[in-house]
Amino acid sequence: MKAKMILVLSLALVACRPALDDPNATLAIPTSVPTYSAQRPSPGQRQLAVDLSAQATSLEAAPDPGKAIGLLTQALTQDPSNPQARLALARLFAKAGRSSVALKLLQPCGELLKSSGVCLELLQNVKRDTAFAHLRDTAQGQALLDPVPAAPLPYARWSALLAKALQNTDMVQLNSFVDPKVSFDLVRVCPNCANLAARNETRRPLIGLALAAKVAVRFDTQHSDAHGTPLLVPGEPTCLDHCCTYAVPDPVPEGKATLRRLCFWPQEPGQGRVTEMAFVYGPTETIR
């Protein structure tokens, strides 16, 4: 009898939940929505998706959301893994009274919640964003978002571990942060170098553990034959938007280098993959 009462109450609560869509919504329901993929495409496709998303963002206040929806759909066609474009597209539909479409865009991430840091972070944003307030009140939205943990991804811990790996030339730890198929950017600058060319920041894409290891070897001070440049890691970083930034001393001591920034792609909830390593060098003859 008690079990039957609980079942009846549960069904009543579900029945009291609002419908997904506003009956007065004028925005049409699309025949399909962009699929999701955890696999990141080529750098060119990723950048095109970022550019298209930026164009769509500039149109958010426009009375007709159709153009923004088209741009975001194109962005997700180029890069189905782009969380910003997916969140923005879901938000547009949710604000227009089409939470059913927003749900379709977000459900793949609900299914990958335990294996994808990208999806976990995206759904955490949905839980905070006021545009999804109606979706959160529905039974379907509650089922999607209730399992999402509140704790943020550990960017500061990832940054500390990778910084230590670079300082100690720890290839095992370094390997855990390197995606063998996707490049990361090596950014370097020496603002006080006598060599004028070294004062200009350079950005070079590298891919694979072998090239990441070459970066770490440049800071190897444990083996005299490596002639490594000592790497400073100045205090605790400030982590925002997938990147952890350190307060670089001014000036950087002569013959030394300072870690400026580490950025990560949250591939798994417990493991990020490095997307950028940025260093500032003190005065020296060459940047290694």
Side-chain angles (χ1 to χ4, degrees), residues 160-178 209 212-213 215-223 231 277:
L161 290 172
L162 180 52
K164 188 174 181 181
L166 291 166
Q167 281 185 312
N168 298 336
T169 326
D170 183 345
M171 298 305 176
V172 174
Q173 186 71 267
L174 182 65
N175 184 44
S176 67
F177 287 100
V178 176
L209 178 60
V215 175
V217 167
R218 292 167 182 167
F219 305 116
D220 184 359
T221 57
Q222 300 179 35
H223 304 91
L231 177 64
M277 300 182 193

Side-chain angles (χ1 to χ4, degrees), residues 40 175-184 206-210 267 273:
R40 286 183 287 169
N175 184 44
S176 67
F177 287 100
V178 176
D179 190 321
K181 297 180 180 179
V182 182
S183 65
F184 65 91
L206 304 175
I207 187 167
L209 178 60
Q267 188 161 315
R273 305 295 178 183

Side-chain angles (χ1 to χ4, degrees), residues 76-88:
L76 289 172
T77 300
Q78 291 294 324
D79 182 4
S81 70
N82 186 302
Q84 290 80 18
R86 186 165 297 273
L87 181 66

Side-chain angles (χ1 to χ4, degrees), residues 154-167 174 177 184-187 203 215 219 231-235 237-248 258-265 272-279:
Y155 287 99
R157 182 171 66 83
W158 293 342
S159 191
L161 290 172
L162 180 52
K164 188 174 181 181
L166 291 166
Q167 281 185 312
L174 182 65
F177 287 100
F184 65 91
D185 285 346
L186 172 63
V187 182
R203 180 178 293 269
V215 175
F219 305 116
L231 177 64
L232 306 177
V233 179
T238 299
C239 298
L240 183 67
D241 295 335
H242 295 185
C243 291
C244 292
T245 303
Y246 293 83
V248 176
T258 296
L259 181 61
R260 182 174 72 182
R261 185 173 56 252
L262 293 172
C263 300
F264 301 90
W265 176 257
R273 305 295 178 183
V274 65
T275 59
E276 180 182 298
M277 300 182 193
F279 306 95

